[in-house]
Amino acid sequence: MLSHTYYHVFNTKKKREYINITGVVEKQLAESSVREGLVLISAMHITASIYVNDAERGIIEDIDEWLERLAPEGIDYKHHRTGEVNGDAHLKNLLLHHQVLVPVTGGCLDLGPWQQIYYAEFDGRRPKKIVIKIIGE
Amino acid sequence: MLSHTYYHVFNTKKKREYINITGVVEKQLAESSVREGLVLISAMHITASIYVNDAERGIIEDIDEWLERLAPEGIDYKHHRTGEVNGDAHLKNLLLHHQVLVPVTGGCLDLGPWQQIYYAEFDGRRPKKIVIKIIGE
Amino acid sequence: MLSHTYYHVFNTKKKREYINITGVVEKQLAESSVREGLVLISAMHITASIYVNDAERGIIEDIDEWLERLAPEGIDYKHHRTGEVNGDAHLKNLLLHHQVLVPVTGGCLDLGPWQQIYYAEFDGRRPKKIVIKIIGE
């Protein structure tokens, strides 16, 4: 069994931001030499998500508005008693989830034609980290 | 390490539809000869989900109404500027998620007594595809 | 390839309850001898979830209130025609999801500094079961 671990470290510029990381994952898959297996892409934060959907500007805006509607900012969350002000970012993380698992077939990410892998930031302007773990053979 | 890949291709008859695919996954597990490992079941679409819950007609109706309440049709989504009319289906996909991972123990799907695997369609009446990826030994 | 399976069986005291199970998972990882691989933690119920977030009392209260807002009790769910009264618990399960996958690197759970693994109960006061499946080498 082969395994390959990579930490993608980067800075986010905005509080909320949606970043296509499909290319980052593809590069690591090529380096892993895995032909058949699984790639886990997991945010190492509790205020960020990894999801799979369309690389289309409109739907990204829709996702952002929808998250804000279901898990809004500006509420007096109990978490804020700690001095934090990011209660909404925790709930947005739970709604979209912090991880995605992609099958690897013939050395490629086995995604549908419109499926792109995104990192969603909900409490940014800080260094952030994603773990990419590839296992297979 | 063994690996087994199967693409389940089918047509959906209705716009929204909930299909129990547990038997499809069990059949592939038997063909894979894997006794200990993991099965990934992943929709290859951005307007469909895979989830685990009850094979009970009432709860399926409840899930459908709940998804429609939290991610409704009939909104002027920004995604619709592309000519698409399925913005709600993208959000329903994100809410339920597009994939499930099931442990394999002793050659069987290691599910609880009420856990059944469902494909949920949100933009159907078209050919659809699920990837089933099994790894283990 | 190594594989290790453990069923964590326990009783929940309250109807809704949030239990940090990170230590339970770490103990099983140590017993598995896996140094590089994946750990799947999956609730074997359709009215409970596994999620990763903060071990902070306030955010747990926020999560509970948020789940109750988006998937409330006291609605005449169609599932209740079966005699059940836990329709909301099924929807809460779907919202938070029933499973999490954690990478294993150097024999440790490869989590971010604030990431803790929780079991969330939505229909408790009964014996409950989580399957922990570890594969790797």
Side-chain angles (χ1 to χ4, degrees), chain A residues 94-105:
Chain A
L94 293 170
L95 188 51
L96 275 200
H97 285 261
H98 72 289
Q99 58 185 201
V100 152
L101 190 63
V102 180
V104 178
T105 308

Side-chain angles (χ1 to χ4, degrees), chain C residues 52-115:
Chain C
V52 165
N53 212 283
D54 203 353
E56 193 277 307
R57 181 192 298 261
I59 198 69
I60 292 171
E61 291 175 42
D62 291 327
I63 291 168
D64 187 69
E65 285 175 21
W66 178 69
L67 290 169
E68 184 56 24
R69 186 155 55 83
L70 293 189
E73 281 191 85
I75 286 183
D76 186 23
Y77 291 109
K78 294 190 173 62
H79 182 50
H80 297 178
R81 296 179 304 208
T82 62
E84 292 279 1
V85 292
N86 61 1
D88 71 295
H90 288 260
L91 301 181
K92 289 176 170 96
N93 153 285
L94 292 171
L95 188 51
L96 274 200
H97 285 260
H98 73 288
Q99 59 184 200
V100 152
L101 190 62
V102 180
V104 178
T105 307
C108 295
L109 296 179
D110 205 346
L111 293 167
W114 301 100
Q115 289 185 309

Side-chain angles (χ1 to χ4, degrees), chain A residues 1 36-38 51-54 56-59 61-63 65-66 69-70 95-97 100-105 110-115 135-137, chain B residues 1-3 5 7 38 40 42-46 69-72 75-82 87 90-91 93-95 97-99 101 131 133 135:
Chain A
M1 200 197 82
E36 296 293 324
L38 299 170
Y51 73 90
V52 166
N53 212 286
D54 203 352
E56 194 275 307
R57 181 192 299 262
I59 198 69
E61 291 176 42
D62 291 326
I63 292 168
E65 285 176 21
W66 177 68
R69 185 155 55 82
L70 294 189
L95 188 51
L96 275 200
H97 285 261
V100 152
L101 190 63
V102 180
V104 178
T105 308
D110 206 345
L111 292 167
W114 301 101
Q115 289 185 309
I135 66 164
E137 63 177 11
Chain B
M1 199 196 81
L2 294 169
S3 75
T5 309
Y7 303 98
L38 299 170
L40 174 65
S42 199
M44 301 188 82
H45 302 276
I46 50 182
R69 185 155 55 82
L70 294 190
I75 285 183
D76 186 24
Y77 291 109
K78 294 190 172 62
H79 182 50
H80 296 178
R81 295 180 304 209
T82 62
H90 288 260
L91 301 181
N93 152 285
L94 293 171
L95 188 51
H97 284 259
H98 73 288
Q99 59 184 200
L101 190 62
V131 55
K133 187 94 190 183
I135 65 163

Side-chain angles (χ1 to χ4, degrees), chain B residues 21-113:
Chain B
I21 57 167
T22 315
V24 174
V25 180
E26 281 171 340
K27 186 163 178 289
Q28 292 307 314
L29 178 56
E31 292 195 9
S32 75
S33 303
V34 168
R35 303 281 304 164
E36 296 293 325
L38 299 170
V39 185
L40 174 65
I41 306 106
S42 199
M44 301 188 82
H45 302 276
I46 50 182
T47 55
S49 292
I50 306 287
Y51 73 89
V52 166
N53 212 284
D54 204 351
E56 194 276 307
R57 182 192 297 262
I59 198 69
I60 292 171
E61 291 176 42
D62 292 327
I63 291 168
D64 187 69
E65 285 176 21
W66 178 68
L67 291 169
E68 184 56 25
R69 185 155 55 82
L70 294 190
E73 281 190 84
I75 285 183
D76 186 24
Y77 291 109
K78 294 190 172 62
H79 182 50
H80 296 178
R81 295 180 304 209
T82 62
E84 292 278 1
V85 292
N86 61 2
D88 71 296
H90 288 260
L91 301 181
K92 288 174 171 98
N93 152 285
L94 293 171
L95 188 51
L96 275 200
H97 284 259
H98 73 288
Q99 59 184 200
V100 151
L101 190 62
V102 179
V104 178
T105 307
C108 296
L109 296 179
D110 205 347
L111 293 168

